[in-house]
Amino acid sequence: RTPNQNEHIFKIVLTAFENDHTQVKKEAAKFFMDLSLLKGPKFLGRALQEAGVLDAKSRSSDPFESLRSLLDDSAMAKVASECDEEERDAFSSMIIEGFAKLLIHNHKYRSEMALSESEQSDILTKMIFQHYFGASKENTQQLMSVFFDIYSGLNLSTYRVVCS
């Protein structure tokens, strides 16, 4: 693919993520989450800046930051207002599962593409809040229970994140 083709694909998926109906947003979010899992969480913002899709000074339309905001109830409530409960639960589960995978694999990314300990701590805090106070389905609750047990014992870095 040429840089122009990549730029075009990023623009289409970003537009779908920001403006389309919930099913399309979910697929666009999956695309961005999978890309983050493959290349690292910071890859998206940098790739979109290099492609000229994002302004280097603005992080507001960075898809990773938008995905991260969906761990907050207010952002997820906006998604919930656009769909039925089943679609909202599926969307929420996909976001939570994606962030659990990102946190577990964070140590595998190059340092400039990985999350800092404070970013990991912020995401973990939001996931804990969702676990105890969110309206997640039982399978998501089970996933998070197993994740919390495993994550703290992965390595010293993840232990420090959990302790903070």
Side-chain angles (χ1 to χ4, degrees):
R1 290 205 161 112
T2 67
N4 283 344
Q5 289 174 318
N6 288 339
E7 179 182 337
H8 186 66
I9 290 169
F10 278 138
K11 282 181 180 178
I12 290 171
V13 178
L14 186 59
T15 301
F17 179 67
E18 292 173 343
N19 302 316
D20 223 315
H21 60 85
T22 307
Q23 285 181 316
V24 176
K25 281 183 183 183
K26 181 181 170 196
E27 294 306 314
K30 277 185 188 180
F31 170 82
F32 288 131
M33 191 62 78
D34 288 346
L35 198 55
S36 293
L37 284 166
L38 286 171
K39 302 285 190 170
K42 305 275 175 98
F43 174 79
L44 281 172
R46 291 185 183 188
L48 291 171
Q49 285 175 6
E50 288 172 11
V53 177
L54 281 185
D55 180 357
K57 296 174 186 165
S58 170
R59 299 212 22 103
S60 61
S61 57
D62 180 339
F64 182 77
E65 293 302 320
S66 296
L67 289 171
R68 191 166 140 171
S69 75
L70 289 173
L71 291 172
D72 292 328
D73 278 339
S74 58
M76 191 51 79
K78 184 176 184 270
V79 171
S81 70
E82 301 169 357
C83 61
D84 62 26
E85 186 177 339
E86 188 176 320
E87 284 180 319
R88 184 200 54 86
D89 285 343
F91 194 85
S92 175
S93 294
M94 186 271 303
I95 296 295
I96 291 168
E97 183 179 340
F99 276 104
K101 289 177 183 178
L102 270 174
L103 289 175
I104 286 174
H105 294 289
N106 191 60
H107 69 282
K108 296 179 181 178
Y109 306 122
R110 295 188 329 255
S111 60
E112 66 271 9
M113 295 297 170
L115 296 167
S116 68
E117 282 190 15
S118 65
E119 290 170 318
Q120 291 177 68
S121 180
D122 178 59
I123 290 169
L124 185 64
T125 300
K126 290 176 181 182
M127 289 177 67
I128 290 169
F129 185 81
Q130 286 297 322
H131 179 64
Y132 288 106
F133 303 108
S136 300
K137 290 192 121 197
E138 187 176 321
N139 60 343
T140 305
Q141 294 289 328
Q142 185 178 16
L143 175 136
M144 287 194 288
S145 294
V146 172
F147 164 77
F148 294 138
D149 285 342
I150 292 171
Y151 182 71
S152 63
L154 281 176
N155 55 48
L156 183 58
S157 176
T158 59
Y159 181 75
R160 281 194 308 262
V161 169
V162 171
C163 289
S164 67

